[in-house]
Amino acid sequence: MKPKVYIARPISQEVEEYIGEHCDYRKWEGEGRIPLDILMEEIKDVEGVLVQHAPVTDKLLEGAPNLKVISNSAVGYDSFDLEAMKRHKVLGTHTPFVLDETVADLVFSLVLATARRVPELNNFVKQGKWDKETESHDLFGIDVHHATMGIIGMGRIGEKIVRRARLGFEMDVLYNSRTPKPELEEKYGIVYSELETLLEKSDFVVLIVPLTPETHHLMGEKQFEKMKNSAIFINCARGAVVDERALIQALETGQIRGAGLDVFEQEPVSPDNPLLQMEQVVALPHIGSATEKTRAAMAMKAAENLVAGVTGKNPPDVVKELQELLEDPHRFSEKFNSK
Ligand SMILES: NC(=O)C1=CN([C@@H]2O[C@H](COP(=O)(O)OP(=O)(O)OC[C@H]3O[C@@H](n4cnc5c(N)ncnc54)[C@H](OP(=O)(O)O)[C@@H]3O)[C@@H](O)[C@H]2O)C=CC1
Ligand SMILES: O=CC(=O)O
């Protein structure tokens, strides 16, 4: 008998067929994101589930005693309650590497769009405001090339941002991460910096760390105060890494020049969020990895992790905090032999 799984987000025919070769599956066919109560009902009897950002809580795991693997079709897994997953011996997987270049492209599109005021000036032209008189200083932006970029988070995506910044735009790059990266310093000529110095010196501050208890509100009032008045802040990580009230204040008071945001503390962002009224803010709907090709690659990776997790193999992309479960000899015997 094939193992039962649930597919909680839309995937392509190809990925569905791959899952179908190895598993009996049901899938979410409703509009938009699956509501949590329906997800909980649907996974009561399954051994694996494919999700995207769905909150994995103790309660959800309690109600799904057969679960062996939760495959997240995203690289960030702040939606996982890791301690609860350890207790329930449920593997959690994600989709690293396949989205790095695509997300780095989006970071640079936010850098360029904010620096050169692309959405604002696009509206200006389309609204017929461009006339003979408007070759004006009011439309000017700031240079990206040869400016200083400070990158907070120097992991898989951080490195791809560095390559664009150094080789494409000949920028100076400062970075901050938990551990220094001497090999990247040598390869690209980037410089490790304490957070405070990075904030003081950078023309563009780019945030690309995971959301964890340590990084929650990493950027707050004190941090924005350190930034130059001429600097632009880019967040392509998670909304809650930033104290959004402090960011709004920094923009309203001119403490910083502008912001490019792919993520928000509340998603979807509320239409009355003050950030959406600001011309110096470029706002996107959390689409860092959203190209056709990359989303397809993520879905296939998520499917491979799902299938491995329910067929007794070690999924290739178990998140690092849960890898200890792979070494637990009882996990397989308890979960697999009991079925
Ligand atoms: N907007 C979007 O659509 C997307 C958003 N993301 C977000 O980007 C995040 C990063 O992805 P990725 O590059 O693959 O992750 P990695 O795990 O490869 O890199 C994370 C980096 O953040 C650093 N870091 C972690 N905690 C801290 C801290 N407290 N202070 C300073 N640095 C810290 C790590 O340091 P060290 O190396 O020393 O451990 C590492 O350099 C994801 O977790 C996700 O939330 C990702 C994809 C798309
Ligand atoms: O936000 C997207 C991700 O892959 O993480």
Side-chain angles (χ1 to χ4, degrees):
M1 221 170 60
K2 289 179 184 172
K4 277 187 195 162
V5 300
Y6 188 70
I7 304 168
R9 68 169 318 275
I11 51 171
S12 67
Q13 187 68 30
E14 185 196 357
V15 177
E16 193 171 322
E17 277 169 14
Y18 168 75
I19 293 175
E21 280 167 30
H22 303 274
C23 310
D24 279 337
Y25 68 91
R26 297 191 305 272
K27 62 176 181 175
W28 167 243
E29 292 187 86
E31 288 285 303
R33 269 182 202 279
I34 186 168
L36 199 52
D37 55 333
I38 298 181
L39 177 64
M40 288 176 74
E41 190 57 37
E42 290 285 10
I43 66 171
K44 272 182 173 167
D45 63 340
V46 303
E47 295 176 45
V49 58
L50 192 155
V51 296
Q52 192 175 44
H53 303 309
V56 175
T57 57
D58 198 42
K59 191 172 164 206
L60 179 133
L61 296 169
E62 288 273 335
N66 298 349
L67 260 189
K68 293 167 186 147
V69 61
I70 299 184
S71 172
N72 191 26
S73 191
V75 71
Y77 49 92
D78 45 283
S79 52
F80 286 175
D81 178 339
L82 295 165
E83 289 311 313
M85 291 172 85
K86 276 184 206 166
R87 276 197 304 280
H88 290 272
K89 298 191 178 176
V90 173
L91 292 174
T93 66
H94 65 150
T95 60
F97 301 110
V98 288
L99 44 58
D100 300 347
E101 300 282 2
T102 299
V103 179
D105 280 352
L106 191 87
V107 166
F108 258 88
S109 65
L110 283 171
V111 168
L112 291 163
T114 46
R116 299 303 301 271
R117 302 165 57 184
V118 174
E120 183 191 344
L121 297 183
N122 171 62
N123 289 341
F124 173 84
V125 174
K126 289 189 174 172
Q127 288 163 7
K129 294 181 182 165
W130 185 21
D131 57 37
K132 280 191 204 128
E133 313 308 316
T134 56
E135 173 46 40
S136 137
H137 186 266
D138 293 347
L139 308 185
F140 292 0
I142 58 168
D143 280 328
V144 175
H145 67 88
H146 298 98
T148 298
M149 176 175 275
I151 305 176
I152 307 171
M154 192 45 63
R156 291 172 291 259
I157 300 171
E159 179 177 353
K160 306 300 182 201
I161 299 169
V162 165
R163 210 182 64 236
R164 285 158 176 75
R166 293 290 291 145
L167 306 184
F169 293 83
E170 299 186 48
M171 303 175 90
D172 288 332
V173 174
L174 306 174
Y175 77 97
N176 179 266
S177 60
R178 283 177 302 196
T179 48
K181 313 287 172 199
E183 66 293 355
L184 293 184
E185 291 175 19
E186 184 157 338
K187 186 169 177 190
Y188 291 113
I190 63 175
V191 177
Y192 180 84
S193 169
E194 291 305 324
L195 183 58
E196 195 172 310
T197 314
L198 178 153
L199 296 170
E200 282 166 0
K201 292 194 171 166
S202 300
D203 301 306
F204 297 89
V205 172
V206 174
L207 195 57
I208 192 75
V209 289
L211 171 61
T212 63
E214 292 74 41
T215 63
H216 182 261
H217 284 194
L218 179 75
M219 286 296 296
E221 198 179 325
K222 282 201 187 108
Q223 288 69 33
F224 287 116
E225 272 170 14
K226 296 281 173 211
M227 285 176 65
K228 297 183 195 177
N229 298 146
S230 56
I232 288 178
F233 175 69
I234 306 292
N235 186 6
C236 207
R238 285 289 184 271
V241 182
V242 178
D243 176 349
E244 209 163 88
R245 271 197 284 182
L247 172 61
I248 291 168
Q249 194 187 353
L251 288 158
E252 278 174 351
T253 58
Q255 171 58 45
I256 63 172
R257 178 186 172 94
L261 308 171
D262 186 41
V263 288
F264 295 84
E265 280 207 270
Q266 182 201 315
E267 294 182 4
V269 66
S270 162
D272 56 16
N273 186 318
L275 291 166
L276 305 190
Q277 309 309 319
M278 298 182 190
E279 275 194 328
Q280 72 273 40
V281 171
V282 177
L284 296 176
H286 198 151
I287 46 123
S289 62
T291 63
E292 302 280 349
K293 198 170 160 189
T294 294
R295 281 295 170 88
M298 288 164 68
M300 189 48 99
K301 206 176 201 353
E304 285 163 2
N305 281 311
L306 177 77
V307 168
V310 295
T311 53
K313 301 186 186 78
N314 285 350
D317 304 298
V318 175
V319 303
K320 60 178 181 301
E321 294 84 349
L322 296 176
Q323 282 178 7
E324 65 192 60
L325 290 177
L326 295 172
E327 274 131 48
D328 177 351
H330 303 300
R331 188 187 73 83
F332 285 107
S333 52
E334 280 168 16
K335 290 239 170 186
F336 281 89
N337 297 342
S338 62
K339 303 283 144 34

